[in-house]
Amino acid sequence: MSEVPILRDYARAILNAYRNDATHMPALAAELERMEACHRNWLAHHGAAETGTADQEDFWRRCRSSLCAPCHTARTRDDAADILSVFLDAMDDDEEEGEGLRPTIVTFKNRAYPLDDAEQCVDDTITQWRRFSSRKHFKHAVAGYVRGVELMTNHENGTVYTEVSALMLVRKTSQIEHAGGWLKLWRKADDNNPAEKATFEQPDIDTREGYLSLVDFVSRVATVAVRPVHLCEEHPHGVVCDARKLKKIKAALSGRRLILFSRRMRR
């Protein structure tokens, strides 16, 4: 239950920002009502859990808004469970076929965009992944993958950027190495614009340490959209959320395919 007090502060700040917008945007009223009900339901569930009377059926009736803090947490857990299940099934199939696939985990951190260009930032990232994954070197090396896109914010300078995390089943890395490596291939898919390879590992899942590393990273892949902590700002008087920023971030996430299961790792 340690996450509840912190997440509650973020959820309240986001709801307050929605309330500010709803005063002059009546179209938001219905979504706001669903989010408030979802928030009350989430708090009631955790309160009941402490007494052992939680109702799971009620808890899973969520509003599913892309910016709802409780929904983001629950959605991440759902997707992480799906990714792990799909991965284990694919590894079982590979064991039977004897191809020798290696789990490979990678996170790319992209260049920053002004907040006003948040939609372009997300669209460019999704386009970049499509170009990256369509390269012949990638197709030859990767038998299947799950990738997630997370939008990050920098409130100090008013910018946003994306982090793309993927769990891949790699046949062999030699083709990628001949092409200059994963990062070079990723940069080429964005006209050689700056990017960082924040994470790269091929854990040995037959060891406890390697398996735990993979499970931890699965949660990272599943953390799509934007985390509540990145929607809010910490101030001396408490956690606040800017309604203008919230509107731009929501527009950047709406209708985008932020998590993608492909080939041998289809959901």
Side-chain angles (χ1 to χ4, degrees):
M1 301 301 168
S2 59
E3 70 176 358
V4 176
I6 299 172
L7 191 58
R8 181 176 56 210
D9 291 342
Y10 295 145
R12 285 175 174 170
I14 293 166
L15 282 172
N16 285 335
Y18 257 87
R19 292 183 185 113
N20 290 336
D21 270 352
T23 58
H24 56 274
M25 295 179 65
L28 287 179
E31 183 178 0
L32 173 61
E33 184 178 353
R34 291 194 300 271
M35 286 180 69
E36 289 179 325
C38 187
H39 187 210
R40 289 193 300 270
N41 191 31
W42 173 73
L43 290 174
H45 169 81
H46 282 286
E50 292 178 351
T51 62
T53 60
D55 187 329
Q56 288 292 331
E57 184 178 351
D58 283 344
F59 178 55
W60 293 111
R61 293 172 187 161
R62 305 192 300 264
C63 71
R64 301 187 184 277
S65 168
S66 61
L67 302 185
C68 174
C71 283
H72 183 271
T73 299
R75 185 168 55 245
T76 296
R77 289 172 179 165
D78 287 352
D79 285 338
D82 281 354
I83 294 170
L84 189 58
S85 176
V86 167
F87 167 77
L88 293 174
D89 286 345
M91 292 302 291
D92 286 343
D93 291 342
D94 177 60
E95 190 172 331
E96 293 179 6
E97 296 175 11
E99 191 172 355
L101 299 177
R102 290 195 66 183
T104 299
I105 57 182
V106 62
T107 297
F108 297 112
K109 176 182 175 181
N110 276 359
R111 57 196 167 99
Y113 287 63
L115 176 65
D116 288 343
D117 295 333
E119 289 188 63
Q120 191 66 51
C121 176
V122 176
D123 285 343
D124 285 351
T125 297
I126 292 173
T127 298
Q128 185 176 0
W129 178 269
R130 186 168 62 248
R131 291 173 178 167
F132 173 71
S133 60
S134 65
R135 298 267 180 167
K136 63 179 181 180
H137 295 296
F138 182 97
K139 287 183 174 181
H140 180 79
V142 179
Y145 64 82
V146 183
R147 75 100 177 100
V149 176
E150 182 178 3
L151 185 63
M152 318 290 281
T153 60
N154 186 326
H155 294 292
E156 292 184 3
N157 61 14
T159 61
V160 296
Y161 63 93
T162 54
E163 288 192 355
V164 181
S165 297
L167 169 59
M168 305 180 291
L169 299 177
V170 176
R171 294 189 181 94
K172 55 182 178 180
T173 59
S174 59
Q175 294 296 318
I176 300 295
E177 291 166 357
H178 291 326
W182 295 97
L183 181 57
K184 186 173 182 179
L185 205 65
W186 177 249
R187 287 174 173 167
K188 280 183 178 179
D190 188 34
D191 299 324
N192 291 314
N193 277 304
E196 300 175 25
K197 187 170 62 177
T199 304
F200 182 82
E201 187 181 350
Q202 291 184 312
D204 180 358
I205 61 170
D206 290 331
T207 68
R208 183 176 183 275
E209 182 181 1
Y211 184 77
L212 290 177
S213 176
L214 182 134
V215 170
D216 182 64
F217 190 79
V218 160
S219 294
R220 181 71 188 81
V221 178
T223 306
V224 296
V226 59
R227 277 180 274 184
V229 64
H230 284 284
L231 289 171
C232 304
E233 298 176 68
E234 299 278 352
H235 284 270
H237 58 280
V239 177
V240 298
C241 182
D242 186 304
R244 185 187 73 88
K245 292 180 181 178
L246 200 70
K247 183 178 178 181
K248 292 184 178 297
I249 290 171
K250 181 183 177 183
L253 301 174
S254 296
R256 273 74 178 183
R257 194 170 185 180
L258 301 174
I259 190 165
L260 179 63
F261 291 71
S262 182
R263 299 204 288 261
R264 292 196 195 176
M265 292 188 66
R266 287 190 182 278
R267 179 155 50 179

